[in-house]
Amino acid sequence: MQDDDKRLAAEAAVAEIRDGMRVGIGTGTTVAFAIAAIGRRRREWPSATFFSTSQDTTKITRAAGVPIARFADQAELDLAIDGVDEIDPQLRAIKGGGGAMLREKIIASAARRMVAIADGTKRVPALGRAPVPVEILPFARAFVAARTSALGASPALRMTETETAYRTDQGNLILDCRFDAIADPGKLAVALQAIPGALGHGLFLTEIDAAYIAQDGIVTKMER
């Protein structure tokens, strides 16, 4: 089952935690299994400190008995564990389905080692199956949508189940930008980052150092 694979990948990544580490925790359904594992093993790392990428993760983590520290006071972490929406053989990924990619990228960039976790359905030969989320300033919604369209995207404003515009923890909007193909992820990342009003995007091209991918009960470790 897919959930069993998510759990196996998450538990493999959690095994990298050591006492005294500063650990960033991502957001999403696979990360929820990592949080559960951390909660069960918390006593093994009495001096470890944990940091969250979203309000949802903070709530779940604290409910599991794991305190969350203030990341704003940190310049560097030892380890980050997070899920992906898709990942290619070069450990390039698209993230942001949970809406937290801006904070996730900050945590991933601050970490000396970033570990991705996923079930086998998230492996792709090339990026582009999933849309690329772009967090935008509400003031610039139409402008950024037009600029992403000029890059070849079909942008869609992310909505909630109640048909209101989805808001990030920062109060911003998300455009889910679907591309027919991403021929050059690096070039696209630079172009998206250069759009005024685009605050962050879900292309994680260099941040991931390793990945644990589980499929049919078997965990594969990939290293950059």
Side-chain angles (χ1 to χ4, degrees):
M1 293 178 59
Q2 191 173 0
D3 279 354
D4 291 334
D5 285 338
K6 290 181 178 182
R7 176 181 54 79
L8 288 171
E11 290 176 349
V14 167
E16 292 203 13
I17 299 174
R18 299 291 182 268
D19 193 28
M21 278 187 169
R22 295 161 295 174
V23 182
I25 304 175
T27 298
T29 57
T30 307
V31 173
F33 289 98
I35 293 170
I38 291 169
R40 290 192 301 270
R41 300 182 59 179
R42 179 69 183 93
R43 293 182 180 180
E44 298 178 29
W45 320 297
S47 297
T49 310
F50 296 88
F51 302 87
S52 169
T53 57
S54 68
Q55 294 175 9
D56 284 345
T57 293
T58 296
K59 185 184 303 181
I60 296 169
T61 306
R62 286 176 173 165
V66 180
I68 291 295
R70 176 181 166 86
F71 176 74
D73 299 326
Q74 298 294 313
E76 186 177 68
L77 302 180
D78 299 295
L79 178 69
I81 299 173
D82 206 348
V84 294
D85 296 328
E86 64 180 40
I87 187 167
D88 74 6
Q90 288 76 48
L91 295 182
R92 300 176 300 186
I94 292 177
K95 292 175 46 53
M101 68 278 185
L102 183 55
R103 294 190 187 190
E104 288 172 342
K105 186 164 288 188
I106 293 168
I107 290 285
S109 299
R112 294 175 181 172
R113 180 172 171 81
M114 162 61 178
V115 177
I117 52 177
D119 65 88
T121 65
K122 303 299 175 63
R123 296 183 74 166
V124 294
L127 297 182
R129 184 180 67 188
V132 178
V134 180
E135 182 164 342
I136 65 170
L137 198 67
F139 175 79
R141 177 181 56 80
F143 170 77
V144 177
R147 288 296 181 94
T148 58
S149 294
L151 294 174
S154 297
L157 183 65
R158 186 176 297 187
M159 307 296 287
T160 68
E161 293 180 356
T162 58
E163 296 302 315
T164 59
Y166 176 89
R167 294 278 181 164
T168 68
D169 286 349
Q170 293 75 242
N172 297 314
L173 303 174
I174 290 180
L175 288 177
D176 287 312
C177 299
R178 188 169 294 280
F179 294 84
D180 290 336
I182 301 178
D184 188 336
K187 183 178 179 180
L188 177 60
V190 171
L192 290 173
Q193 199 66 42
I195 299 173
L199 306 176
H201 58 76
L203 288 169
F204 283 59
L205 306 182
T206 61
E207 290 83 4
I208 298 172
D209 298 297
Y212 291 95
I213 313 294
Q215 186 164 15
D216 298 327
I218 298 173
V219 179
T220 300
K221 183 181 180 182
M222 302 166 62
E223 287 274 358
R224 185 177 292 278

